[in-house]
Amino acid sequence: MESSLALNVLVLVVSITALITSILVARRQLRLAHNSNVLPIIVEMFKDTRTPEFSHSIEYLLSEFEGQYPPSDGYLSLPAEPKAHIRRVALFLDDAGKLVAHGVVDERIILGSYAVLITRTWEILAPYVYSERARQGNHTMIHLEDLAARAQNTPASSVHTKMGLRRLPPA
């Protein structure tokens, strides 16, 4: 009887171990499948930020735009050039915010790369966005705002530290 009980306990332990192993393997496979679906999105997003047009739009927003136009009419009523720069940068960041908010992309990927740009862009554009929301009665760039709040609470440097990124200071 004792050997029967010992055998039953052994079978139970083996069964539980197999179940736990199966769960862990399934979770890993799901994570790998998710990552393989997300990778093309991330690569495409990052590719867009490498274009001369995107770089020019960032430079314009960060160094030329601020203070040139009153924010009271929102951003859609701005002249074509500033509106194009705003759309290129802010709508890219808003799309990145959508991916983060919906859990498609780990926020560390976006914040580790763009936290400073996100925060600064929001600081510059917030008055225009709030005016646009009031005019349109919608939630214009709500994902960018969420991303800016995340970036303010989790600066890129803290993301880099948590990831264990190493530095090589100049000699």
Side-chain angles (χ1 to χ4, degrees):
M1 181 126 164
E2 285 182 26
S3 65
S4 173
L5 179 64
L7 184 58
N8 287 341
V9 169
L10 180 62
V11 168
L12 180 63
V13 168
V14 169
S15 296
I16 290 172
T17 303
L19 177 64
I20 291 171
T21 302
S22 296
I23 290 170
L24 293 175
V25 168
R27 286 183 66 197
R28 179 168 163 70
Q29 287 175 332
L30 282 172
R31 192 170 42 253
L32 289 172
H34 171 73
N35 289 345
S36 69
N37 290 333
V38 171
L39 187 60
I41 295 169
I42 294 169
V43 168
E44 190 65 31
M45 283 177 62
F46 284 10
K47 186 170 70 173
D48 289 345
T49 65
R50 304 289 192 259
T51 65
E53 295 83 12
F54 194 85
S55 294
H56 179 64
S57 291
I58 290 172
E59 290 171 17
Y60 176 83
L61 279 176
L62 299 183
S63 62
E64 296 175 41
F65 174 75
E66 196 169 24
Q68 281 194 16
Y69 304 95
S72 58
D73 291 334
Y75 78 90
L76 290 177
S77 58
L78 292 172
E81 182 186 9
K83 185 168 40 176
H85 291 302
I86 288 170
R87 287 186 139 174
R88 185 173 290 124
V89 176
L91 293 181
F92 163 79
L93 295 174
D94 192 59
D95 287 344
K98 289 172 189 164
L99 296 174
V100 168
H102 291 281
V104 175
V105 174
D106 185 335
E107 76 175 22
R108 293 174 301 174
I109 294 171
I110 303 300
L111 297 181
S113 301
Y114 301 111
V116 173
L117 175 63
I118 294 163
T119 304
R120 188 69 183 116
T121 298
W122 182 251
E123 288 170 357
I124 293 168
L125 296 182
Y128 297 89
V129 172
Y130 289 135
S131 292
E132 200 62 50
R133 287 178 186 172
R135 289 169 38 98
Q136 302 290 332
N138 63 18
H139 298 289
T140 299
M141 297 189 199
I142 193 78
H143 295 96
L144 171 55
E145 184 176 15
D146 174 70
L147 199 57
R150 291 171 190 253
Q152 200 168 44
N153 293 331
T154 311
S157 59
S158 73
V159 173
H160 300 159
T161 300
K162 287 178 186 173
M163 291 174 61
L165 296 182
R166 295 173 198 89
R167 301 199 52 187
L168 290 174

